[in-house]
PDB file of all heavy atoms in Angstrom:
ATOM      1  N   ILE O 231       4.602  97.310 -74.835  1.00  0.00           N
ATOM      2  CA  ILE O 231       4.521  98.741 -74.617  1.00  0.00           C
ATOM      3  C   ILE O 231       5.213  99.131 -73.326  1.00  0.00           C
ATOM      4  O   ILE O 231       4.945  98.565 -72.270  1.00  0.00           O
ATOM      5  CB  ILE O 231       3.032  99.164 -74.523  1.00  0.00           C
ATOM      6  CG1 ILE O 231       2.272  98.687 -75.771  1.00  0.00           C
ATOM      7  CG2 ILE O 231       2.866 100.653 -74.331  1.00  0.00           C
ATOM      8  CD1 ILE O 231       0.767  98.739 -75.598  1.00  0.00           C
ATOM      9  N   PRO O 232       6.124 100.103 -73.351  1.00  0.00           N
ATOM     10  CA  PRO O 232       6.751 100.563 -72.108  1.00  0.00           C
ATOM     11  C   PRO O 232       5.660 101.110 -71.141  1.00  0.00           C
ATOM     12  O   PRO O 232       4.761 101.863 -71.574  1.00  0.00           O
ATOM     13  CB  PRO O 232       7.678 101.696 -72.565  1.00  0.00           C
ATOM     14  CG  PRO O 232       7.975 101.354 -74.011  1.00  0.00           C
ATOM     15  CD  PRO O 232       6.702 100.768 -74.549  1.00  0.00           C
ATOM     16  N   TYR O 233       5.748 100.751 -69.893  1.00  0.00           N
ATOM     17  CA  TYR O 233       4.704 101.121 -68.945  1.00  0.00           C
ATOM     18  C   TYR O 233       5.223 101.968 -67.777  1.00  0.00           C
ATOM     19  O   TYR O 233       4.513 102.842 -67.256  1.00  0.00           O
ATOM     20  CB  TYR O 233       4.029  99.846 -68.417  1.00  0.00           C
ATOM     21  CG  TYR O 233       2.669 100.101 -67.778  1.00  0.00           C
ATOM     22  CD1 TYR O 233       1.563 100.356 -68.556  1.00  0.00           C
ATOM     23  CD2 TYR O 233       2.511 100.035 -66.383  1.00  0.00           C
ATOM     24  CE1 TYR O 233       0.325 100.585 -67.986  1.00  0.00           C
ATOM     25  CE2 TYR O 233       1.249 100.258 -65.811  1.00  0.00           C
ATOM     26  CZ  TYR O 233       0.172 100.531 -66.618  1.00  0.00           C
ATOM     27  OH  TYR O 233      -1.077 100.745 -66.056  1.00  0.00           O
ATOM     28  N   ALA O 234       6.468 101.735 -67.344  1.00  0.00           N
ATOM     29  CA  ALA O 234       7.035 102.529 -66.237  1.00  0.00           C
ATOM     30  C   ALA O 234       8.536 102.404 -66.304  1.00  0.00           C
ATOM     31  O   ALA O 234       9.120 101.458 -66.841  1.00  0.00           O
ATOM     32  CB  ALA O 234       6.517 102.017 -64.903  1.00  0.00           C
ATOM     33  N   GLY O 235       9.215 103.411 -65.754  1.00  0.00           N
ATOM     34  CA  GLY O 235      10.661 103.408 -65.643  1.00  0.00           C
ATOM     35  C   GLY O 235      11.315 104.121 -66.813  1.00  0.00           C
ATOM     36  O   GLY O 235      10.778 104.114 -67.948  1.00  0.00           O
ATOM     37  N   THR O 236      12.488 104.672 -66.515  1.00  0.00           N
ATOM     38  CA  THR O 236      13.195 105.440 -67.545  1.00  0.00           C
ATOM     39  C   THR O 236      14.323 104.607 -68.162  1.00  0.00           C
ATOM     40  O   THR O 236      14.930 105.006 -69.170  1.00  0.00           O
ATOM     41  CB  THR O 236      13.809 106.702 -66.943  1.00  0.00           C
ATOM     42  OG1 THR O 236      14.790 106.298 -65.903  1.00  0.00           O
ATOM     43  CG2 THR O 236      12.753 107.583 -66.329  1.00  0.00           C
ATOM     44  N   GLY O 237      14.651 103.469 -67.548  1.00  0.00           N
ATOM     45  CA  GLY O 237      15.787 102.696 -67.998  1.00  0.00           C
ATOM     46  C   GLY O 237      16.966 102.928 -67.143  1.00  0.00           C
ATOM     47  O   GLY O 237      17.998 102.255 -67.271  1.00  0.00           O
ATOM     48  N   THR O 238      16.903 103.907 -66.208  1.00  0.00           N
ATOM     49  CA  THR O 238      17.981 104.205 -65.268  1.00  0.00           C
ATOM     50  C   THR O 238      17.506 103.815 -63.879  1.00  0.00           C
ATOM     51  O   THR O 238      16.409 104.233 -63.451  1.00  0.00           O
ATOM     52  CB  THR O 238      18.349 105.671 -65.284  1.00  0.00           C
ATOM     53  OG1 THR O 238      18.837 106.023 -66.600  1.00  0.00           O
ATOM     54  CG2 THR O 238      19.453 105.964 -64.266  1.00  0.00           C
ATOM     55  N   ARG O 239      18.297 103.042 -63.166  1.00  0.00           N
ATOM     56  CA  ARG O 239      17.914 102.641 -61.813  1.00  0.00           C
ATOM     57  C   ARG O 239      17.882 103.815 -60.866  1.00  0.00           C
ATOM     58  O   ARG O 239      18.760 104.661 -60.878  1.00  0.00           O
ATOM     59  CB  ARG O 239      18.849 101.542 -61.268  1.00  0.00           C
ATOM     60  CG  ARG O 239      18.830 100.301 -62.096  1.00  0.00           C
ATOM     61  CD  ARG O 239      19.870  99.269 -61.643  1.00  0.00           C
ATOM     62  NE  ARG O 239      19.586  98.754 -60.304  1.00  0.00           N
ATOM     63  CZ  ARG O 239      20.228  97.747 -59.755  1.00  0.00           C
ATOM     64  NH1 ARG O 239      21.190  97.129 -60.462  1.00  0.00           N
ATOM     65  NH2 ARG O 239      19.932  97.306 -58.549  1.00  0.00           N
ATOM     66  N   GLY O 240      16.828 103.888 -60.090  1.00  0.00           N
ATOM     67  CA  GLY O 240      16.704 104.998 -59.108  1.00  0.00           C
ATOM     68  C   GLY O 240      15.351 104.916 -58.416  1.00  0.00           C
ATOM     69  O   GLY O 240      14.600 103.945 -58.568  1.00  0.00           O
ATOM     70  N   GLY O 241      15.031 105.951 -57.649  1.00  0.00           N
ATOM     71  CA  GLY O 241      13.790 105.928 -56.898  1.00  0.00           C
ATOM     72  C   GLY O 241      12.953 107.182 -57.054  1.00  0.00           C
ATOM     73  O   GLY O 241      11.944 107.371 -56.341  1.00  0.00           O
ATOM     74  N   GLY O 242      13.287 108.056 -57.968  1.00  0.00           N
ATOM     75  CA  GLY O 242      12.537 109.299 -58.127  1.00  0.00           C
ATOM     76  C   GLY O 242      11.299 109.165 -58.974  1.00  0.00           C
ATOM     77  O   GLY O 242      11.093 108.176 -59.679  1.00  0.00           O
ATOM     78  N   GLY O 243      10.414 110.151 -58.866  1.00  0.00           N
ATOM     79  CA  GLY O 243       9.261 110.232 -59.794  1.00  0.00           C
ATOM     80  C   GLY O 243       7.914 110.021 -59.151  1.00  0.00           C
ATOM     81  O   GLY O 243       6.925 110.090 -59.867  1.00  0.00           O
ATOM     82  N   ASP O 244       7.861 109.748 -57.842  1.00  0.00           N
ATOM     83  CA  ASP O 244       6.534 109.558 -57.222  1.00  0.00           C
ATOM     84  C   ASP O 244       5.670 110.804 -57.393  1.00  0.00           C
ATOM     85  O   ASP O 244       6.123 111.935 -57.231  1.00  0.00           O
ATOM     86  CB  ASP O 244       6.666 109.250 -55.743  1.00  0.00           C
ATOM     87  CG  ASP O 244       7.064 107.803 -55.497  1.00  0.00           C
ATOM     88  OD1 ASP O 244       6.895 106.960 -56.394  1.00  0.00           O
ATOM     89  OD2 ASP O 244       7.545 107.493 -54.377  1.00  0.00           O
ATOM     90  N   GLY O 245       4.424 110.579 -57.786  1.00  0.00           N
ATOM     91  CA  GLY O 245       3.477 111.675 -57.985  1.00  0.00           C
ATOM     92  C   GLY O 245       3.410 112.117 -59.407  1.00  0.00           C
ATOM     93  O   GLY O 245       2.565 112.972 -59.767  1.00  0.00           O
ATOM     94  N   GLY O 246       4.223 111.535 -60.281  1.00  0.00           N
ATOM     95  CA  GLY O 246       4.216 111.926 -61.702  1.00  0.00           C
ATOM     96  C   GLY O 246       4.017 110.723 -62.614  1.00  0.00           C
ATOM     97  O   GLY O 246       3.738 109.615 -62.153  1.00  0.00           O
ATOM     98  N   PRO O 247       4.139 110.925 -63.884  1.00  0.00           N
ATOM     99  CA  PRO O 247       3.947 109.837 -64.887  1.00  0.00           C
ATOM    100  C   PRO O 247       4.935 108.686 -64.594  1.00  0.00           C
ATOM    101  O   PRO O 247       6.110 108.911 -64.363  1.00  0.00           O
ATOM    102  CB  PRO O 247       4.229 110.481 -66.213  1.00  0.00           C
ATOM    103  CG  PRO O 247       3.979 111.945 -65.967  1.00  0.00           C
ATOM    104  CD  PRO O 247       4.421 112.184 -64.571  1.00  0.00           C
ATOM    105  N   ALA O 248       4.408 107.462 -64.659  1.00  0.00           N
ATOM    106  CA  ALA O 248       5.285 106.298 -64.360  1.00  0.00           C
ATOM    107  C   ALA O 248       6.426 106.164 -65.335  1.00  0.00           C
ATOM    108  O   ALA O 248       7.501 105.703 -64.983  1.00  0.00           O
ATOM    109  CB  ALA O 248       4.406 105.031 -64.392  1.00  0.00           C
ATOM    110  N   LEU O 249       6.225 106.587 -66.600  1.00  0.00           N
ATOM    111  CA  LEU O 249       7.299 106.498 -67.577  1.00  0.00           C
ATOM    112  C   LEU O 249       8.435 107.485 -67.278  1.00  0.00           C
ATOM    113  O   LEU O 249       9.501 107.333 -67.880  1.00  0.00           O
ATOM    114  CB  LEU O 249       6.719 106.722 -69.000  1.00  0.00           C
ATOM    115  CG  LEU O 249       5.962 105.558 -69.580  1.00  0.00           C
ATOM    116  CD1 LEU O 249       5.244 105.937 -70.864  1.00  0.00           C
ATOM    117  CD2 LEU O 249       6.898 104.358 -69.816  1.00  0.00           C
ATOM    118  N   GLN O 250       8.178 108.457 -66.445  1.00  0.00           N
ATOM    119  CA  GLN O 250       9.230 109.423 -66.124  1.00  0.00           C
ATOM    120  C   GLN O 250       9.811 109.121 -64.748  1.00  0.00           C
ATOM    121  O   GLN O 250      10.669 109.877 -64.275  1.00  0.00           O
ATOM    122  CB  GLN O 250       8.687 110.826 -66.177  1.00  0.00           C
ATOM    123  CG  GLN O 250       8.192 111.254 -67.568  1.00  0.00           C
ATOM    124  CD  GLN O 250       7.579 112.639 -67.580  1.00  0.00           C
ATOM    125  OE1 GLN O 250       7.798 113.463 -66.686  1.00  0.00           O
ATOM    126  NE2 GLN O 250       6.784 112.916 -68.610  1.00  0.00           N
ATOM    127  N   ALA O 251       9.365 108.087 -64.124  1.00  0.00           N
ATOM    128  CA  ALA O 251       9.857 107.720 -62.806  1.00  0.00           C
ATOM    129  C   ALA O 251      10.991 106.665 -62.952  1.00  0.00           C
ATOM    130  O   ALA O 251      11.112 105.992 -63.992  1.00  0.00           O
ATOM    131  CB  ALA O 251       8.744 107.166 -61.937  1.00  0.00           C
ATOM    132  N   GLU O 252      11.752 106.523 -61.887  1.00  0.00           N
ATOM    133  CA  GLU O 252      12.789 105.519 -61.851  1.00  0.00           C
ATOM    134  C   GLU O 252      12.354 104.347 -60.953  1.00  0.00           C
ATOM    135  O   GLU O 252      11.683 104.568 -59.948  1.00  0.00           O
ATOM    136  CB  GLU O 252      14.099 106.086 -61.302  1.00  0.00           C
ATOM    137  CG  GLU O 252      14.678 107.206 -62.162  1.00  0.00           C
ATOM    138  CD  GLU O 252      15.749 107.997 -61.437  1.00  0.00           C
ATOM    139  OE1 GLU O 252      15.693 108.060 -60.177  1.00  0.00           O
ATOM    140  OE2 GLU O 252      16.627 108.571 -62.087  1.00  0.00           O
ATOM    141  N   VAL O 253      12.770 103.160 -61.337  1.00  0.00           N
ATOM    142  CA  VAL O 253      12.545 102.005 -60.482  1.00  0.00           C
ATOM    143  C   VAL O 253      13.883 101.282 -60.341  1.00  0.00           C
ATOM    144  O   VAL O 253      14.812 101.468 -61.119  1.00  0.00           O
ATOM    145  CB  VAL O 253      11.478 101.033 -61.054  1.00  0.00           C
ATOM    146  CG1 VAL O 253      10.131 101.695 -61.097  1.00  0.00           C
ATOM    147  CG2 VAL O 253      11.889 100.525 -62.427  1.00  0.00           C
ATOM    148  N   ASP O 254      14.015 100.461 -59.276  1.00  0.00           N
ATOM    149  CA  ASP O 254      15.279  99.798 -59.003  1.00  0.00           C
ATOM    150  C   ASP O 254      15.076  98.334 -58.689  1.00  0.00           C
ATOM    151  O   ASP O 254      14.680  97.966 -57.573  1.00  0.00           O
ATOM    152  CB  ASP O 254      15.963 100.495 -57.810  1.00  0.00           C
ATOM    153  CG  ASP O 254      17.404 100.042 -57.624  1.00  0.00           C
ATOM    154  OD1 ASP O 254      17.839  99.118 -58.353  1.00  0.00           O
ATOM    155  OD2 ASP O 254      18.089 100.591 -56.749  1.00  0.00           O
ATOM    156  N   ALA O 255      15.300  97.515 -59.713  1.00  0.00           N
ATOM    157  CA  ALA O 255      15.270  96.040 -59.569  1.00  0.00           C
ATOM    158  C   ALA O 255      13.974  95.548 -58.939  1.00  0.00           C
ATOM    159  O   ALA O 255      13.973  94.900 -57.907  1.00  0.00           O
ATOM    160  CB  ALA O 255      16.447  95.581 -58.743  1.00  0.00           C
ATOM    161  N   PRO O 256      12.818  95.760 -59.602  1.00  0.00           N
ATOM    162  CA  PRO O 256      11.541  95.270 -59.077  1.00  0.00           C
ATOM    163  C   PRO O 256      11.554  93.738 -59.005  1.00  0.00           C
ATOM    164  O   PRO O 256      11.893  93.094 -60.035  1.00  0.00           O
ATOM    165  CB  PRO O 256      10.501  95.773 -60.077  1.00  0.00           C
ATOM    166  CG  PRO O 256      11.178  96.890 -60.817  1.00  0.00           C
ATOM    167  CD  PRO O 256      12.620  96.534 -60.841  1.00  0.00           C
TER     168      PRO O 256
END
Side-chain angles (χ1 to χ4, degrees):
I231 306 165
Y233 198 74
T236 63
T238 299
R239 297 174 66 171
D244 281 342
L249 284 171
Q250 296 177 21
E252 298 166 332
V253 295
D254 190 355

